[in-house]
Amino acid sequence: MGEGEKFQLGTVGALSMSVVSSVSIVICNKALMSSLHFIFATTLTSWHLLVTFCSLHVALKLRLFEHKPFEQKAVMGFGILNGISIGLLNLSLGFNSVGFYQMTKLAIIPCTILLEILFLGKKFSKRVQFSLSILLLGVGIATVTDLQLNALGSFLSLLAVITTCVAQIMTNTIQKKFKVSSTQLLYQTCPYQSATLLIFGPYLDKLLTNLNVFAFKYTTQVTMVIILSCMISIAVNFSTFLVIGKTSPITYQVLGHLKTCLVLAFGYIIVHDPFSWRNILGILVAMVGMILYSYYCALEGQQKTVEAATQASEAREGETETLINVENASTVLNKRPPVWSKEKD
């Protein structure tokens, strides 16, 4: 199996792991918050990250991956920024309507594109932009209902979008710049993410729910579901870094909207959540956008591969011509008539 095939297989595996684990944890957390009334989302996320770090530390001791330290300032800044972005997203949901929160999530893709164009010099073809527009339209139809605006909620949403975009772009750029794997990056940044949310999480949850997470009655059932959620979160956190590292922040956001559509569908099938023709239409439109995005990305990827192969072939041909010219010149020099000394004459 060639390197390209291995990379494609690894990418498909990462995408599949991300979808399965994310949908699973959403269903688990929905049962935890709706049925068991544990509504402390930010604190729960801090526990997820703490368990993820502990599991990676065990894996490191078992030599399942190699620890590769790099610039500490980058690690700390990235970890804290990730923690802040999660907290801001939760605050955005708390101070806005569900419809406006969904609009906030939809804004992440165009904001990421804008930041990558302005600061990283990336280019996105019109075909990719068109497919993303269809995707966002479909998700908007399926999820956005009421749009209630307020100044504080809008400000928090703006901060949440910017920090989330920057954090996801950094996930990709840090892995490439310092040549670290997703596992190595996650292991080093998890303590900072977890610490940030462990410190501020209980206060944010109390602000949003008027309840104290430490005063909650932890029954055996609640504890078991929390443990299950933390176990699933290991795969969620690992696959997030893996997908962004292997693909791009935009692809990860597209995948996130696929998860949203799947959660809506599973909610209707399993839990019998309210479902309308608007939801069905939105999901279908979004799926068309995702298919087009995947097709155009694959097509452009093949074109880049062909161009790279062509350039490599031309470079080899140039080297061959140079070598032939050198050899011909050497032959001409060797075939010059001998110079006889006068003494021998």
Side-chain angles (χ1 to χ4, degrees):
M1 186 181 292
E3 290 295 326
E5 292 177 346
K6 288 181 180 178
F7 178 80
Q8 291 177 355
L9 187 61
T11 303
V12 171
L15 295 171
S16 302
M17 181 193 294
S18 181
V19 171
V20 172
S21 60
S22 296
V23 173
S24 300
I25 203 169
V26 166
I27 295 172
C28 180
N29 289 346
K30 190 170 185 178
L32 183 62
M33 295 181 181
S34 301
S35 303
L36 302 176
H37 309 293
F38 185 88
I39 53 177
F40 309 101
T42 309
T43 303
L44 180 63
T45 305
S46 70
W47 295 345
H48 287 169
L49 290 165
L50 184 61
V51 170
T52 300
F53 172 73
C54 292
S55 64
L56 288 176
H57 190 68
V58 172
L60 179 65
K61 293 298 182 183
L62 295 174
R63 297 182 180 179
L64 297 179
F65 72 96
E66 181 183 353
H67 178 54
K68 184 180 179 181
F70 58 97
E71 191 176 319
Q72 193 62 29
K73 288 183 180 179
V75 174
M76 185 182 297
F78 173 65
I80 294 173
L81 180 64
N82 252 325
I84 291 173
S85 70
I86 294 170
L88 285 172
L89 283 171
N90 289 338
L91 276 175
S92 174
L93 179 58
F95 282 91
N96 292 301
S97 64
V98 175
F100 191 81
Y101 175 72
Q102 292 295 340
M103 285 294 293
T104 298
K105 291 176 68 177
L106 291 177
I108 291 175
I109 286 182
C111 181
T112 303
I113 290 175
L114 180 62
L115 290 175
E116 290 192 327
I117 290 174
L118 291 177
F119 297 101
L120 300 180
K122 288 191 175 182
K123 296 181 180 179
F124 297 88
S125 66
K126 291 183 178 179
R127 296 181 298 186
V128 169
Q129 294 177 29
F130 173 69
S131 63
L132 290 173
S133 300
I134 294 177
L135 166 66
L136 295 177
L137 175 64
V139 176
I141 293 172
T143 60
V144 177
T145 51
D146 57 323
L147 290 175
Q148 299 175 7
L149 302 178
N150 64 81
L152 179 59
S154 301
F155 178 69
L156 289 172
S157 295
L158 177 63
L159 290 179
V161 169
I162 293 173
T163 53
T164 301
C165 292
V166 173
Q168 291 181 0
I169 291 172
M170 285 180 67
T171 303
N172 183 272
T173 53
I174 286 176
Q175 289 187 53
K176 291 179 179 177
K177 180 180 178 180
F178 296 103
K179 293 181 174 56
V180 292
S181 68
S182 54
T183 310
Q184 292 166 336
L185 179 60
L186 182 60
Y187 174 71
Q188 294 186 67
T189 56
C190 253
Y192 299 104
Q193 295 183 62
S194 178
T196 303
L197 293 179
L198 279 171
I199 293 169
F200 296 106
Y203 297 102
L204 290 181
D205 287 332
K206 189 172 184 178
L207 177 66
L208 296 173
T209 65
N210 292 322
L211 297 172
N212 190 340
V213 64
F214 302 110
F216 186 80
K217 186 178 180 181
Y218 291 89
T219 63
T220 304
Q221 187 178 11
V222 170
T223 305
M224 293 303 294
V225 177
I226 289 175
I227 292 173
L228 176 62
S229 178
C230 289
M231 292 298 104
I232 299 173
S233 72
I234 298 172
V236 173
N237 292 324
F238 176 70
S239 62
T240 297
F241 279 61
L242 194 61
V243 167
I244 296 177
K246 283 185 171 293
T247 57
S248 69
I250 300 297
T251 299
Y252 176 73
Q253 284 300 322
V254 170
L255 192 67
H257 292 308
L258 171 61
K259 298 170 193 174
T260 301
C261 294
L262 290 175
V263 168
L264 286 173
F266 280 125
Y268 173 72
I269 296 169
I270 298 173
V271 193
H272 302 293
D273 285 341
F275 215 66
S276 65
W277 285 106
R278 177 178 173 173
N279 299 126
I280 297 173
L281 175 63
I283 289 175
L284 291 176
V285 173
M287 292 303 294
V288 170
M290 290 175 201
I291 292 170
L292 287 175
Y293 176 79
S294 302
Y295 173 73
Y296 290 144
C297 285
L299 192 64
E300 291 180 6
Q302 290 176 356
Q303 290 175 350
K304 289 179 181 178
T305 303
V306 171
E307 289 175 1
T310 304
Q311 290 176 357
S313 177
E314 290 175 353
R316 284 195 299 269
E317 288 177 1
E319 290 175 359
T320 304
E321 289 175 0
T322 303
L323 182 61
I324 290 173
N325 291 335
V326 170
E327 289 177 346
N328 289 339
S330 176
T331 303
V332 170
L333 290 173
N334 290 333
K335 288 184 176 180
R336 286 186 304 178
V339 179
W340 300 97
S341 63
K342 292 182 179 179
E343 295 178 358
K344 290 184 179 180
D345 290 337

